[in-house]
């Protein structure tokens, strides 16, 4: 390309014919290459049509000044969004094509005298294409700006229209009741015909419906009569659980309704009234069985709320009534498009239905809000009660749209939150059972994964976290949909989740951060598996000393941690080159006084990775002794025996000496001293000490973790024989209680056997018939007295 460039821009040699032929050959080669490169580009540029998009935007702009409905606004929003996307793509393509055209013109260079005609024609085409592309790029930019502005206007129009619709005042409930009197008689006749007639015959006179009702009633009576002996026959070896009792209690109703509905469908007598009855009662029986299972005395709600049996029964009755009303309304909504009564004619019935259901929910919130744990949160309960009362007031006063919006949003949100809590509690119990070692499927998974019986199942924590996240994301989506978030809104959220958004000049892509977090978790677990494999298969590093092996494993652990963090940051979109700038800034800060903070921070990371101490361990740091209550990046909180909380910087735990009484196990050795008089029977004393140690229930006897109680004579002083009772405890938390018990029992046993405890002694020797000179001098009388 450098040779072609030199040929194209160089002066024409007017010398020999060979030079001229060489120059013309270079021009011809250059023209062929540029033509092959630019012909597709010119064809693409000439084929673009932007006038249609411009006309569409102008039509939408003109239509916004007129009366429009919500459906039209939604269609316009889709069109404008599509045009905006096409305009962004167009700008990208035009910029790329314009850059290639400029590069091609730069290769051709300016026109020179005597150049071939084909190069002149190609240069002219490229210059025309450059002008066309510049104009089209400007048009694309204008379309992008116009589509963004129109999208904003459509959203504003949509919000204004939605607010107008929500705040529209219709007839109040009294006017709705009066409007029923003005409905023509023909409409009521059509309504009666709709509900009570099927296939041009009365539903009560149809033999198929009578047969269906007879089958349903017969099956209901049969199951009601046989459910107790059937349950005893099936479960004769053990008692029925609460779940089984609930199933046998509601089985007759479920069976009867299902049989009657199936028979009605087969005999073609499934009229709207029959569908309303069967659909409501069949689903009501299933939901009532689920509610009874959740609110049983040993159920999920009882375990988390600790409610009394009477409170559970009251909540169950209210919830069943709410479920019955809700199911009736859902089935009615499904049938209502075929109803002869118009929406305005049914307004009173809808308002009455709203008031009854709101009253039931209000009663449930009021009664259950006074129980634990809801009574600890009075503000949310008060806000919910006010929202329900406000919805009822809107229904009474005639704000039907606002009432419908609040009614559906509140009840659906309460249902979604309730289901979210129930599913979360159920998942918690499931994963708790999964973490246990007993159970058929736990043993099956351990056999398939080739794990030992004492090894926990891997990945349970991550699977549980994913399941909880999925549940609450579903609850959030359900609540957002209940409050009016449309498919377009979800699409916009998903778009921002994938493509990201910019805050303060920093572009954030949540999708990449989620992938980075998952990748970080996987790499951490792989690092832990590598550490475990090297520890279990010590033959790989068996030739090393124990200290060297520990160092190698520590280095590999920290290296894996750093690599995992760097890979996760790179996946999240963080430029690793900027870390050098951050590290330089941190080094300057450290040099100016952040050494202690960084030292504690790094020490906290080391403690969290190596885990020489854990929450709940009994440790001693200097003169501080107690239980580790909390570990953070900067400090460790220790709860002493005096119930005082001591904040110990992590750097002291790394640089200083720390005694952990519970690092590998909680076994503790006690050496309890006893001072015995010199004239005591030594074998008897040892026998009594050992006997008292063996009699204590918390002392290890025949346990490989310790030595049985032993009496030791370790010192003979001028005052006493120093005996020690050595015992081992399985739990170091019992140290002070065991020492108190053993001291008291040993002292009582020694006193019963007339063995005296030693006391500090001091012998005083008096030497007779010797008077001190000072004493003789003091005994002489003084002259003058």
């Amino acid at each position: 390309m450098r040779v072609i460039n030199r040929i194209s821009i160089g002066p024409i040699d007017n010398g020999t014919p060979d030079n001229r032929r060489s120059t013309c050959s270079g021009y011809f080669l250059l023209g062929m290459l540029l033509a092959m490169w630019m012909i597709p580009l010119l064809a693409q540029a000439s084929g673009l049509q932007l006038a249609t998009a411009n006309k569409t935007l102008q039509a939408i702009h003109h239509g916004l000044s007129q009366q429009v409905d919500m459906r039209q606004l939604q269609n316009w929003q889709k069109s404008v969004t599509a045009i905006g996307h096409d305009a962004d793509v167009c700008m990208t393509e035009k910029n790329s094509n314009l850059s290639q055209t400029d590069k091609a013109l730069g290769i051709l260079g300016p026109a020179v005298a005597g150049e071939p005609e084909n190069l002149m024609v190609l240069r002219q085409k490229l210059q025309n294409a450059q002008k066309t592309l510049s104009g089209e790029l400007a048009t694309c930019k204008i379309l992008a700006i116009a589509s963004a502005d129109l999208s904003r206007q459509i959203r504003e129009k949509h919000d204004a229209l939605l607010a107008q619709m929500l705040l529209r005042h219709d007839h109040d409930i009294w006017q709705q009741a009066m409007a029923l009197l003005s409905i023509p008689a023909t409409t009521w006749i059509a309504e009666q015909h709709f509900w009570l007639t099927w296939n041009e015959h009365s539903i009560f006179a149809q033999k198929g419906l009578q047969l269906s009702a007879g089958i349903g009633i017969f099956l209901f009576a049969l199951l009601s009569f046989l459910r107790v002996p059937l349950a005893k026959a099936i479960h004769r070896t053990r008692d029925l659980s609460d779940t089984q009792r609930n199933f046998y209690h509601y089985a007759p109703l479920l069976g009867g309704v299902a049989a009657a509905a199936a028979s009605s469908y087969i005999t073609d007598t499934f009229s709207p009234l029959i569908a309303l009855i069967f659909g409501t009662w069949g689903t009501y029986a299933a939901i009532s069985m689920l509610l009874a299972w959740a609110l049983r005395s040993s159920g999920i709600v009882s375990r988390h709320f600790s409610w009394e049996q009477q409170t559970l029964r009251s909540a169950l009755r209210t919830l069943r009534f709410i479920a019955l009303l809700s199911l009736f309304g859902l089935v009615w909504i499904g049938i209502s498009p075929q109803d002869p009564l118009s929406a305005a004619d049914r307004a009173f019935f809808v308002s009455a239905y709203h008031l009854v259901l709101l009253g039931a929910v209000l009663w449930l919130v009021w009664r259950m809000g006074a129980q634990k744990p809801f009574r600890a949160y009075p503000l949310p309960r008060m806000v919910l009660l006010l929202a329900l009362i406000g919805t009822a007031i809107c229904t009474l006063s005639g704000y039907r749209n606002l009432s419908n919006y609040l009614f559906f949003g509140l009840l659906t949100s309460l249902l979604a939150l309730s289901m979210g809590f129930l599913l979360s509690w159920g998942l918690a119990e499931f994963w708790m059972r999964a973490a246990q070692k007993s159970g058929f499927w736990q043993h099956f998974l351990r056999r398939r994964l080739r794990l030992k019986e004492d090894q926990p199942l891997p990945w349970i924590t991550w699977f549980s976290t994913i399941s909880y996240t999925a549940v609450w994301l579903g609850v959030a989506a359900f609540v957002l949909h209940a409050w009016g978030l449309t498919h377009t809104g979800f699409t916009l959220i998903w778009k921002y989740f994938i493509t990201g958004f910019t805050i303060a000049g920093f572009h954030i892509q949540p999708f990449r951060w989620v992938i980075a977090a998952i990748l970080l978790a996987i790499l951490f677990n792989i690092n832990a598996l590598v550490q475990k494999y090297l520890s279990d298969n010590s033959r790989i590093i068996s030739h090393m000393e124990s200290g060297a092996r520990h160092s190698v494993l520590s280095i590999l652990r920290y290296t894996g941690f750093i690599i995992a963090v760097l890979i996760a940051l790179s996946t999240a979109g963080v430029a690793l080159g900027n870390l050098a700038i951050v590290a330089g800034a941190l080094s300057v800060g450290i040099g100016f006084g952040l050494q202690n903070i960084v030292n504690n921070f790094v020490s906290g990371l080391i403690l969290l990775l190596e885990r020489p101490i854990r929450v709940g361990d009994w440790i001693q740091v200097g003169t501080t002794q107690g239980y580790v209550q909390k570990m953070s990046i900067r400090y460790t909180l220790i709860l002493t025996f005096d119930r005082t909380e001591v904040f110990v910087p992590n750097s002291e735990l790394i640089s200083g000496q720390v005694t952990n009484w519970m690092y590998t196990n909680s076994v503790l050795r006690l050496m309890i001293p006893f001072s015995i008089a010199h004239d005591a029977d030594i074998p008897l004393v040892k026998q009594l000490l050992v006997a008292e140690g063996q009699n204590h229930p918390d002392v290890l006897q025949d346990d490989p973790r310790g030595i049985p109680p032993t009496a030791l004579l370790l010192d003979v002083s001028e005052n006493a024989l120093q005996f020690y009772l050595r015992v081992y405890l399985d739990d170091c938390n019992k140290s002070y209680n065991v020492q108190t018990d053993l001291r008291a029992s040993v002292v009582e046993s020694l006193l019963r056997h007339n063995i005296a405890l030693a006391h500090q002694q001091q012998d005083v020797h008096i030497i007779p018939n010797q008077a001190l000179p000072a004493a003789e001098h003091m005994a002489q009388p003084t002259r003058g007295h």
Side-chain angles (χ1 to χ4, degrees), residues 80-271:
V80 170
T81 302
I83 292 175
H85 179 266
D86 294 341
D88 293 335
V89 174
C90 175
M91 286 192 295
T92 303
E93 293 178 354
K94 299 306 177 187
N95 279 320
S96 177
N97 295 339
L98 188 60
S99 175
Q100 294 179 9
T101 305
D102 294 339
K103 187 182 296 184
L105 287 173
I107 294 174
L108 285 176
V112 294
E115 65 180 3
E117 185 178 358
N118 59 346
L119 291 183
M120 296 177 60
V121 173
L122 180 60
R123 183 182 290 106
Q124 185 65 34
K125 289 183 178 180
L126 290 175
Q127 290 175 351
N128 295 334
Q130 186 182 38
K131 294 179 181 178
T132 303
L133 288 173
S134 299
E136 291 178 348
L137 178 61
T139 304
C140 292
K141 290 181 179 179
I142 293 174
L143 287 177
I145 296 173
S147 61
D149 184 66
L150 276 179
S151 179
R152 178 185 57 80
Q153 294 181 20
I154 291 173
R155 287 196 300 269
E156 293 177 354
K157 189 79 172 180
H158 179 272
D159 295 340
L161 186 60
L162 182 61
Q164 182 182 358
M165 291 176 59
L166 287 176
L167 298 178
R168 188 180 64 188
H169 184 267
D170 296 325
H171 298 296
D172 57 24
I173 192 169
W174 176 255
Q175 294 172 342
Q176 294 170 7
M178 292 296 101
L180 291 176
L181 301 177
S182 61
I183 296 178
T186 55
T187 305
W188 288 114
I189 294 174
E191 181 73 8
Q192 181 180 1
H193 184 270
F194 173 75
W195 289 105
L196 300 180
T197 303
W198 185 253
N199 294 330
E200 301 302 329
H201 294 87
S202 174
I203 60 174
F204 301 107
Q206 297 187 14
K207 295 182 179 180
L209 181 59
Q210 296 172 2
L211 177 63
S212 301
I215 292 175
I217 294 173
F218 173 75
L219 188 59
F220 173 78
L222 181 63
L223 292 177
S224 299
F225 179 74
L226 294 178
R227 64 180 177 181
V228 176
L230 185 63
K232 291 182 179 179
I234 296 176
H235 306 277
R236 63 179 60 187
T237 57
R238 55 188 176 88
D239 295 333
L240 295 178
S241 64
D242 293 338
T243 305
Q244 292 168 344
R245 289 194 185 94
N246 290 329
F247 173 76
Y248 287 114
H249 179 75
Y250 290 98
L253 181 59
L254 280 172
V257 172
S263 178
S264 298
Y265 183 79
I266 293 173
T267 57
D268 194 20
T269 56
F270 205 71
S271 65

Side-chain angles (χ1 to χ4, degrees), residues 429-468:
E429 292 186 357
F430 173 78
W431 293 118
M432 183 178 64
R433 291 195 185 98
Q436 295 175 355
K437 301 176 183 178
S438 61
F440 172 77
W441 67 274
Q442 289 93 335
H443 290 295
F444 175 77
L445 287 178
R446 285 189 175 88
R447 286 196 303 269
R448 299 294 295 178
L449 296 175
R450 298 179 180 180
L451 297 175
K452 298 179 181 179
E453 290 298 328
D454 57 344
Q455 289 181 321
L457 293 175
W459 302 93
I460 286 182
T461 302
W462 298 108
F463 285 145
S464 62
T465 303
I466 292 173
S467 62
Y468 294 145

Side-chain angles (χ1 to χ4, degrees), residues 345-373:
D345 296 336
R346 295 194 304 268
F348 175 76
F349 300 109
V350 173
S351 299
Y353 171 78
H354 283 189
L355 291 175
V356 174
L357 189 54
L358 285 172
V361 176
L362 186 66
W363 173 256
L364 179 66
V365 174
W366 178 263
R367 288 293 302 274
M368 298 302 107
Q371 306 293 330
K372 294 187 300 183

Side-chain angles (χ1 to χ4, degrees), residues 359-429:
V361 176
L362 186 66
W363 173 256
L364 179 66
V365 174
W366 178 263
R367 288 293 302 274
M368 298 302 107
Q371 306 293 330
K372 294 187 300 183
F374 300 117
R375 64 185 179 191
Y377 307 97
L379 183 59
R381 186 180 69 154
M382 188 60 62
V383 171
L384 181 58
L385 289 173
L386 291 176
L388 292 172
I389 295 173
T391 305
I393 292 174
C394 292
T395 303
L396 291 171
S397 57
Y399 291 95
R400 292 176 53 194
N401 293 332
L402 182 59
S403 173
N404 292 334
Y405 177 73
L406 294 176
F407 177 83
F408 183 75
L410 284 173
L411 298 189
T412 308
S413 300
L414 288 175
L415 176 62
L417 292 175
S418 301
M419 294 301 299
F421 280 113
L422 288 176
L423 290 176
S424 297
W425 294 338
L427 287 173
E429 292 186 357

Side-chain angles (χ1 to χ4, degrees), residues 540-652:
I540 299 177
I541 52 177
S542 59
H543 60 281
M544 301 181 182
E545 298 179 356
S546 60
R549 289 197 298 268
H550 181 74
S551 299
V552 169
L553 293 176
S554 299
I555 292 173
L556 289 177
R557 184 186 304 115
Y558 294 135
T559 303
F561 173 78
I562 294 173
I563 292 174
V565 171
L566 292 178
I567 293 176
L569 290 176
S570 177
T571 305
V574 178
L576 298 180
N578 297 331
L579 294 179
I581 302 175
V582 176
L586 287 177
S587 61
V588 174
I590 293 171
F592 281 99
L594 296 179
Q595 299 95 332
N596 292 332
I597 297 177
V598 175
N599 189 13
N600 290 325
F601 180 80
V602 175
S603 301
L605 292 178
I606 295 174
L607 289 175
L608 294 176
L609 291 175
E610 291 188 347
R611 302 188 69 189
I613 60 174
R614 295 152 297 189
V615 175
D617 286 355
W618 177 18
I619 67 172
Q620 181 175 356
V621 184
T623 59
T624 303
Q625 186 175 1
Y627 295 96
V628 178
Q629 192 175 17
K630 179 183 177 182
M631 295 182 64
S632 66
I633 294 296
R634 191 180 62 84
Y635 65 86
T636 297
L637 180 61
I638 298 178
L639 181 65
T640 65
F641 298 109
D642 298 331
R643 308 302 296 175
T644 58
E645 296 176 333
V646 180
F647 295 87
V648 180
N650 289 329
S651 58
E652 296 185 10

